[in-house]
Amino acid sequence: MTWFTFLVDNLLCRCLGISITVWFTLLFFCTIVPAVLGVSFGMRRLYMATLLKIFEVSTMSNFYNSIQIKFFFSALLIEDIIAKEPSSSLLQEFQELRGSASCLSSEPEFELADIFYFCRRGMETIVDDDVTKRFSAQELQNWNLLTRSNNNFRHISLRLTVLWGLGVLIRYGVLLPLRVTLAVTGISLLLVLTFLVAFLPNRELRSYLSEKVHLMCYRICVRALTAIITYHNRENKPQNGGICVANHTTPIDVIILANDGCYSLVGQVHGGLMGMIQRAMVRSSPHIWFERSEVKDRHLVAKRLGDHVADKTKQPILIFPEGTCINNTSVMMFKKGSFEIGCTVYPVAIKYDPRFGDAFWNSSKFGMVNYLLRMMSSWAIVCSVWYLPPMNREEGEDAVQFANRVKAAIAAQGGLVDLIWDGGLKRAKVKDAFKEEQQKLYSKVLVGEMDQNQSDDKHSQDDNPEDANNRN
């Protein structure tokens, strides 16, 4: 019996050793070597094509037709709930409510009917809200076999149940361990190699090796997410002495862009693992990290950014002017700070394909570790990146107008909705200045200080609070 147990233990040890050897051999030759050489064997695109075929097979089920009908009607309920008529002037709306065109020109006084205007405007804004729905996950028209997209679809038919079960085994039994191994490998190499490169005395050699190390580690991290990225118009890639600005959906936007070229990053100093990575990166590459007390000092931030872009030997700065993550459907207001420096701006549009996994980071719902685990247990991260032609501030154009022009170009190229609202509304309340503006408009209507033309202008500003939003 002892002899038999010894053979079994020996066999298990041999099998385990062979499995580990095969695992790390495949990891080295299929992932690390291509990342070092900057080549791809096309396996990820083959994997994406296979997934699309599987999704098509799952949607061909007769049971699934009822789901698409359900989605169709739910889309009707979500979109276009209110059929808005063309906006009339503020005076006309109050005149219609009061039932007389001359009542406002008589004695100025409040009437109970006036409150219906504000009630209607408030309900329209709540029901057809263009802001808060940008901070939640994007809706899918077809199920991608992930319960995070919908918790009940796997119960529709036996075919979908089997496909979903196989998907769980593949994603958590094969893909997740592989991706975690790649992520640990990429981060470990970044920490070790940047530490060693920092000791090189020759600045040119140090910069050259630092760029190669960063590219290699970023490419490994991209493979850790099974990211399939298509880059367009590479002739417009950001150059040294400029600022690259892009729309922001997820923290991995940095990895997506740095996979194709190195950038100097701007951000606040962190602690823990993120702090270790920041300190390792800045040893060998000119990144810009601010202490918490310095972040709100706009003049200091502008000075350090200006000094960086003035040195044409330094890498372009990567900035996300929205200041928060938006759910891959729109672009919100760009902060004007990065457009006041007076250098060339290189716009970049990033658009993710939600069929393979939702890249949006809802920071109010998921922590960073939880979010990364969700990304690594998704099917893949598929996105397109467009490099737009460089843009410069025109004569007579202020920073706000320049920022809006760049934002509009990014939105048009990426097929995103161009919104005027500040992404800071994700966590902050609406500023009191907006409420006071509405109160002033109503008071002018009551006292008769607003004529028809002023009413039209003010009413259009009410629908377009961009100027007040930027001023504040």
Side-chain angles (χ1 to χ4, degrees), residues 17 79 86 149 156 206 247 284 300 347 366 429 460 464:
E79 300 294 337
S149 303
I156 294 297
R206 185 171 65 248
N247 57 298
S284 58
L300 176 62
F366 302 107
K429 295 181 178 180
S460 64
N464 185 5

Side-chain angles (χ1 to χ4, degrees), residues 45 85 129 135 166 202 208 223 231 269 277 301 313 347 361 381 395 411 422 451 469:
R45 295 195 178 274
E85 298 178 355
D129 185 5
F135 305 135
L166 290 174
N202 188 300
Y208 175 79
R223 285 163 171 79
Y231 297 98
V269 174
I277 297 174
V301 173
T313 63
W361 181 34
I381 300 299
E395 185 177 355
D422 186 355
D451 58 23
N469 202 11

Side-chain angles (χ1 to χ4, degrees), residues 240-245 264-267 286-290 294-295 297-312 314-321 335-345:
N240 292 355
I243 293 179
C244 173
V245 298
S264 292
L265 306 181
V266 179
H287 300 283
I288 304 175
W289 308 128
F290 294 97
E294 300 174 335
V295 173
D297 189 341
R298 294 181 57 186
H299 297 289
L300 176 62
V301 173
K303 182 180 184 304
R304 292 188 61 181
L305 294 180
D307 293 341
H308 183 101
V309 298
D311 188 348
K312 301 302 180 182
K314 293 183 178 180
Q315 299 161 351
I317 299 175
L318 176 59
I319 295 179
F320 302 102
K335 305 295 191 299
K336 64 179 181 178
S338 54
F339 299 90
E340 294 176 325
I341 300 174
C343 64
T344 301
V345 171

Side-chain angles (χ1 to χ4, degrees), residues 68-167:
Q68 290 195 334
I69 293 174
K70 174 184 174 182
F71 260 124
F72 174 77
F73 283 107
S74 64
L76 289 180
L77 292 174
I78 294 173
E79 300 294 337
D80 300 329
I81 296 177
I82 297 177
K84 293 185 179 179
E85 298 178 355
S87 298
S88 56
S89 68
L90 195 62
L91 279 175
Q92 288 178 343
E93 294 203 23
F94 279 111
Q95 289 170 356
E96 291 174 1
L97 285 172
R98 296 189 179 190
S100 173
S102 60
C103 60
L104 285 174
S105 60
S106 58
E107 296 182 3
E109 60 180 7
F110 167 78
E111 289 195 12
L112 188 61
D114 294 351
I115 66 174
F116 290 106
Y117 166 78
F118 299 103
C119 290
R120 180 177 62 82
R121 296 281 297 186
M123 286 187 289
E124 286 180 354
T125 303
I126 292 172
V127 175
D128 194 18
D129 185 5
D130 279 336
V131 180
T132 56
K133 66 182 179 182
R134 309 298 174 180
F135 305 135
S136 58
Q138 182 180 0
E139 293 288 340
L140 295 179
Q141 294 300 320
N142 294 314
W143 190 38
N144 57 3
L145 301 178
L146 296 175
T147 53
R148 67 196 63 169
S149 303
N150 190 291
N151 291 323
N152 300 315
F153 281 2
R154 65 184 183 277
H155 302 304
I156 294 297
S157 69
L158 180 60
R159 170 188 281 183
L160 289 181
T161 302
V162 171
L163 287 174
W164 171 79
L166 290 174

Side-chain angles (χ1 to χ4, degrees), residues 11 20 29 66 78 101 135 142 163 172 189 194 208 225 229 243 314 358 367 378 459:
L11 181 61
I20 294 176
F29 286 103
S66 62
I78 294 173
F135 305 135
N142 294 314
L163 287 174
Y172 287 94
L189 287 175
T194 51
Y208 175 79
L225 297 168
I229 313 167
I243 293 179
K314 293 183 178 180
D358 183 21
S378 297
H459 197 268

